[in-house]
Structures are given as C-alpha cells and as structure tokens.
Amino acid sequence: MTRLRSPFGRWDPAPLGEVAARFSGVESCWWVAGGLAIELAVGRRIRSHGDVDVLLLRRDQLMAQQALAGWQWWAADPPGSLRPWAPDEVLPPHVHDIWCRPGPDAPWSIQIMLDESHGEEWVSRRDARVRRPISALGTTSPDGVPFLSPEVQLYYKAKASRPKDEEDFAAALPLLTDHQRQWLVGAISTTYGSHPWIERLQA
C-alpha cells in the first residue's frame, strides 16, 4: 500500500473493500474513481496509488458524511488550503474535493470528489457541454463495486496527463469499445481541442 506525504499530512489509502462497505449503505449513486477505476475496468493491478477516490454528485454530497460518520472531513478550498467541513454544510460550487480520515492523528484515507448534474444527466465540472446520462456514468465490478466508466475517467485525466495517466490510458485503450472511443474523442475535442490521445483512440 502506498503512503504518500502531502503538505497536509500523510495519506494511507483505505482498502477498496472498506470503501465499498462504507458506501454501500448510502441512498445515492457513488463510484470509485481515479486510477482504481481504471484498474477495475481492466481487471488487474496497474500501478501503486497514493489515494483512493470516490465520486459523488454534488447534490448528494452529504451522503459522504453519512458513509463516513465519526470521521474527520476537510474541504479542499482552492487555492491550496484545507478547512473542516461542518456537519450538514453544503459546500460551495468551487469546492470539488474532500479529504477524509478516521481521526485527527490518523492518515488521510479517502478522497471524495464532487461532480455536477442536471436532472438525470451528469455534467462535467470542466465543461458543461460534456454530458451523459447518470445511469451510464459507471458500471459495476464482479465484486459489486461501482466504478466510473474508463472513458469518463480518462477524459478527466486527459487535461494535463502525467506519467501515471499515460500508464492508465495505455492499459485501458485496448479494452475500450468503439462507442467508448468515440465518446472520449468527442469529449476531449470539445474541452481540450487537439490532444495526442485522439490519434491513438482513432487508430
């Protein structure tokens, strides 16, 4: 397990089974996101991970406090600061990430990511033109863990791809269907314009 030091303390990601157990009882949609979502899509380990991400729709944000009752929740309030997230506080639109840990002396364990929606549609927080039905935003692993569809996760990773994002893209690319490739090309083109992944997706 990777332990990552940040300016705000140490990360020690919660095991995927614990994440699933804690969020399985919430009355809203949720998805494992980030690099772990890509690994769930390809069905194998790709690399080490500094954190574990869970995506919620912004309208369901308080479900995180329910799932992680008794924990500490801190809002990543840009630029570059953390602050306590008060019980029942509705976070402002510019806050997209919440760091969570079991207690004040414990390492950070789970990162909550908030995304936008309109009715039954997911709306990218990066570009409101990029949308899809919430029902098609993710899928479920054989173990019953919901995770973000790889093409949606790769769309976010395409913004400023790092070596780990390139690694995730290379692992997922052979498994993407024609429909997934077409959606990803359209989403990347709409938001970022030209991008080196487009040619590979169209090959």
Side-chain angles (χ1 to χ4, degrees):
M1 182 176 293
T2 299
R3 289 172 171 81
L4 177 69
R5 173 69 62 178
S6 82
F8 303 104
R10 183 168 57 94
W11 271 93
D12 190 359
L16 190 57
E18 179 184 348
V19 173
R22 288 189 171 277
F23 281 86
S24 62
V26 303
E27 296 178 357
S28 65
C29 296
W30 65 277
W31 303 267
V32 171
L36 283 172
I38 301 297
E39 289 190 352
L40 287 169
V42 303
R44 63 178 175 85
R45 179 84 168 181
I46 299 172
R47 56 179 176 81
S48 62
H49 300 276
D51 59 9
V52 56
D53 301 321
V54 173
L55 179 69
L56 290 173
L57 299 177
R58 181 171 298 278
R59 68 190 186 196
D60 299 324
Q61 60 182 272
L62 293 179
M63 293 296 101
Q65 295 188 352
Q66 175 184 315
L68 302 175
W71 282 40
Q72 287 198 335
W73 325 297
W74 288 65
D77 206 345
S81 64
L82 284 178
R83 64 170 179 84
W85 181 27
D88 299 323
E89 175 193 0
V90 176
L91 294 169
H94 67 272
V95 174
H96 304 295
D97 298 294
I98 305 152
W99 292 23
C100 306
R101 59 187 177 186
D105 298 321
W108 302 106
S109 297
I110 297 173
Q111 178 171 264
I112 307 297
M113 306 172 70
L114 301 180
D115 230 335
E116 311 305 322
S117 61
H118 181 75
E120 296 304 312
E121 278 192 316
W122 162 81
V123 180
S124 168
R125 67 176 182 270
R126 295 246 173 94
D127 188 333
R129 296 171 296 175
V130 177
R131 303 175 175 224
R132 71 189 303 171
I134 293 170
S135 60
L137 190 58
T139 188
T140 304
S141 74
D143 295 332
V145 179
F147 63 93
L148 199 60
S149 292
E151 68 272 23
V152 178
Q153 185 61 66
L154 290 172
Y155 161 72
Y156 276 123
K157 285 177 169 286
K159 179 181 179 181
S161 56
R162 302 153 294 183
K164 66 179 182 179
D165 301 319
E166 294 291 341
E167 195 172 358
D168 290 345
F169 177 73
L173 180 60
L175 303 177
L176 296 178
T177 65
D178 288 344
H179 177 73
Q180 288 173 314
R181 288 172 181 245
Q182 291 167 7
W183 184 91
L184 184 53
V185 167
I188 289 175
S189 300
T190 297
T191 302
Y192 310 122
S194 60
H195 194 285
W197 287 359
I198 291 177
E199 184 176 354
R200 295 169 67 185
L201 285 162
Q202 294 177 327

